[in-house]
Amino acid sequence: MEELLKLLKKIKPEVNFEGNEHLIDNEELDSFDIVSIVSAINDEFDIEIGAGDIVPENFNSVQAMYELIQKLED
């Protein structure tokens, strides 16, 4: 989780990711941010986030992103 937080803060340092469960709903992340995050996560964690996984529920919080990564690593 710590590694993911560092990665997200590099991409969007002005966003408070910790404890925020409405990153998409509150428009703190836009589509360009999501594309950057998906690319960075794919590279950092050596996984492939498919188009079907790029839905708001998977990116609304750090916890949701972390759970997606864990699911794809299995």
Side-chain angles (χ1 to χ4, degrees), residues 28-69:
E28 293 186 61
L29 298 178
D30 61 24
S31 57
F32 181 75
D33 297 326
I34 297 302
V35 168
S36 299
I37 289 168
V38 166
S39 177
I41 288 174
N42 283 345
D43 291 346
E44 184 71 28
F45 295 94
D46 196 28
I47 59 173
E48 187 64 39
I49 298 174
D53 290 317
I54 303 174
V55 294
E57 300 84 56
N58 287 335
F59 293 91
N60 243 339
S61 70
V62 175
Q63 184 63 38
M65 290 182 235
Y66 185 70
E67 288 171 9
L68 175 64
I69 291 166

